[in-house]
């Protein structure tokens, strides 16, 4: 868990915002602990998109290779880290629980399936980044997560 000593952070909550500050601090600690747990106690799969995503606005999520489940459909990981790189620099990393990523990708109203990889033997969904974060997809996610 992160350092909680307010004197060391230089933050001084005022009487007016103390209650909200305390709630926000507790919420922040909860999510920091979740990230620590994810990195220390869970299995992760890391994929890196190089350059193409910045031109097309799409990411590729592999689901089949040589006619067998692969990628998102075969991983034993709990979390899927999807790096978006420009040349050798990681611009950002998207993190999904594998369970949620499968539900989102399969639930999208539109995704394109393409061949790629070695010998074009892999199949992957092309998912538009704008669509991934659209209000329609967020509504889909909310609906899916309430069904579980």
């Amino acid at each position: 868990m992160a350092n909680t000593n307010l004197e060391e952070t230089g933050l001084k909550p005022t009487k007016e915002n103390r209650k909200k500050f305390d709630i926000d601090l507790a919420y922040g600690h909860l999510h920091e602990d979740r990230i620590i747990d994810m990195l220390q106690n869970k299995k992760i799969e890391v994929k890196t998109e190089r350059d193409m995503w910045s031109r097309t606005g799409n990411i590729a999520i592999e689901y089949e290779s040589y006619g067998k489940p692969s990628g998102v459909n075969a991983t034993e990981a709990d979390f899927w880290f999807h790096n978006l790189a420009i040349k050798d620099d990681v611009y950002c990393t998207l993190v999904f629980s594998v369970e949620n990523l499968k539900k989102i990708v399969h639930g999208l109203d539109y995704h394109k399936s393409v061949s790629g990889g070695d010998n074009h033997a892999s199949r992957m969904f092309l998912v538009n980044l704008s669509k991934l974060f659209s209000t329609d997809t967020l509504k889909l996610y909310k609906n899916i997560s309430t069904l579980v």
Side-chain angles (χ1 to χ4, degrees):
M1 185 159 54
N3 186 345
T4 59
N5 187 336
L6 293 180
E7 287 98 28
E8 288 181 18
T9 66
L11 299 173
K12 304 234 188 264
T14 64
K15 185 176 180 182
E16 294 80 29
N17 70 9
R18 180 177 307 273
K19 187 167 184 160
K20 182 173 178 4
F21 181 87
D22 292 347
I23 291 169
D24 287 347
L25 185 62
Y27 187 77
H29 286 228
L30 171 70
H31 288 279
E32 287 173 359
D33 289 345
R34 286 181 179 174
I35 297 297
I36 290 167
D37 183 60
M38 181 189 311
L39 295 173
Q40 292 180 345
N41 303 316
K42 304 292 183 194
K43 293 179 187 175
I44 64 172
E45 178 127 359
V46 179
K47 300 295 181 183
T48 301
E49 298 267 340
R50 289 184 303 252
D51 300 316
M52 186 66 80
W53 72 271
S54 66
R55 292 191 296 276
T56 66
N58 297 319
I59 59 172
I61 300 177
E62 183 179 316
Y63 63 90
E64 181 182 288
S65 186
Y66 291 95
K68 296 182 180 173
S70 66
V72 73
N73 285 343
T75 186
E76 295 180 8
D78 301 299
F79 291 93
W80 183 279
F81 285 56
H82 208 102
N83 293 323
L84 302 181
I86 298 174
K87 299 194 189 239
D88 292 329
D89 294 323
V90 174
Y91 174 73
C92 71
T93 302
L94 306 174
V95 180
F96 300 92
S97 75
V98 170
E99 180 182 339
N100 284 343
L101 182 60
K102 287 179 183 178
K103 290 176 183 177
I104 291 167
V105 170
H106 291 291
L108 288 173
D109 59 357
Y110 174 79
H111 54 260
K112 185 176 183 180
S113 183
V114 298
S115 295
D118 296 339
N119 300 316
H120 291 283
S122 296
R123 299 289 300 161
M124 52 201 91
F125 295 121
L126 285 186
V127 179
N128 182 273
L129 287 166
S130 295
K131 180 67 176 173
L132 184 62
F133 294 101
S134 72
T135 54
D136 289 345
T137 304
L138 295 173
K139 286 177 190 172
L140 168 70
Y141 170 76
K142 288 177 185 175
N143 289 338
I144 290 170
S145 64
T146 59
L147 297 175
V148 178

